[in-house]
Amino acid sequence: MTGDDATRLKSATVVIAIVTGAVSALLIISGQLEEAALRFGFIPARISGMALEGALPMWLTPWSATLVHGGWLHLALNLVMLVYVGSQVERVLGAGSVVFAYLVGALVAASAQWLADPIAVVPMVGASGAISALFGIYALLAASPKAVTRSPRINRAIHVAWLLAAWIAIQWMTDVLSAGQGIMLATPAHIGGFITGLVLERPLLLWRYRKA
């Protein structure tokens, strides 16, 4: 591997992490989190017709919401997950695939949050929905399906179903524990993002090695 290859290897992940960290840190330090959440966060009720003066256009907020975090702990956890999982996915699929999966994951995560509660007025902020898409890809890349049947397709379907069931269970338990501490999590967004990664892994893998 050349130096240029090594530089490109983690370029997308590092850039996303730096931009996200810088914007979020600036908002936290400046004390503008609440205003930023309203202006840049994803609010499901806006799709249902709620008007909000001074906010970004609604269609941009699934992505702008990833740049706003609720505090230092929220930001730190997301950046750690992003850097680790993103770099692993980028190592296999390349920078373009990471950016594509991240952006699509953010959009689907917001859509899942809207489907779960279309009239919710609480802003959804944070990059965890988009990062969940990278988790979905990583989960499939990191482990091969077990030979449960003689059909590779059926084995893969079982593997995907098991990963999704495990992810949903983890998100549900985390949501229950967090609710007891007064913390609200965007669980539907996390699940929607993860499903995005499961769906995108094979097409992105085929695209990456289409000339191999």
Side-chain angles (χ1 to χ4, degrees), residues 176-199:
V176 171
L177 293 174
S178 298
Q181 301 297 320
I183 301 173
M184 295 181 62
L185 296 180
T187 301
H190 297 168
I191 296 173
F194 191 78
I195 292 174
T196 302
L198 296 179
V199 172

Side-chain angles (χ1 to χ4, degrees), residues 78-102:
N78 274 354
L79 289 183
V80 168
M81 292 188 294
L82 170 60
V83 171
Y84 176 74
V85 178
S87 64
Q88 298 302 314
V89 172
E90 192 166 348
R91 189 180 300 276
V92 178
L93 298 182
S97 292
V98 167
V99 173
F100 180 77
Y102 191 86

Side-chain angles (χ1 to χ4, degrees), residues 11-83:
S11 60
T13 301
V14 170
V15 169
I16 294 172
I18 290 176
V19 172
T20 301
V23 174
S24 295
L26 181 61
L27 292 173
I28 294 172
I29 294 172
S30 65
Q32 299 180 30
L33 277 181
E34 291 188 10
E35 181 180 354
L38 289 173
R39 290 190 174 188
F40 307 130
F42 174 75
I43 302 177
R46 291 188 65 192
I47 297 181
S48 304
M50 171 186 168
L52 187 60
E53 185 178 353
L56 278 183
M58 183 274 300
W59 64 271
L60 282 175
T61 57
W63 298 291
S64 61
T66 65
L67 300 174
V68 184
H69 287 77
W72 292 114
L73 180 59
H74 187 201
L75 174 61
L77 288 174
N78 274 354
L79 289 183
V80 168
M81 292 188 294
L82 170 60
V83 171

Side-chain angles (χ1 to χ4, degrees), residues 120-131:
V121 297
V122 177
M124 182 189 79
V125 296
S128 53
I131 297 171

Side-chain angles (χ1 to χ4, degrees), residues 4 6-7 53 64 66 71 81 106-107 112 127 139 151 157 160-161 165 174 191 203:
D4 289 342
T7 300
E53 185 178 353
S64 61
T66 65
M81 292 188 294
L107 179 60
S151 171
V160 170
T174 304
I191 296 173

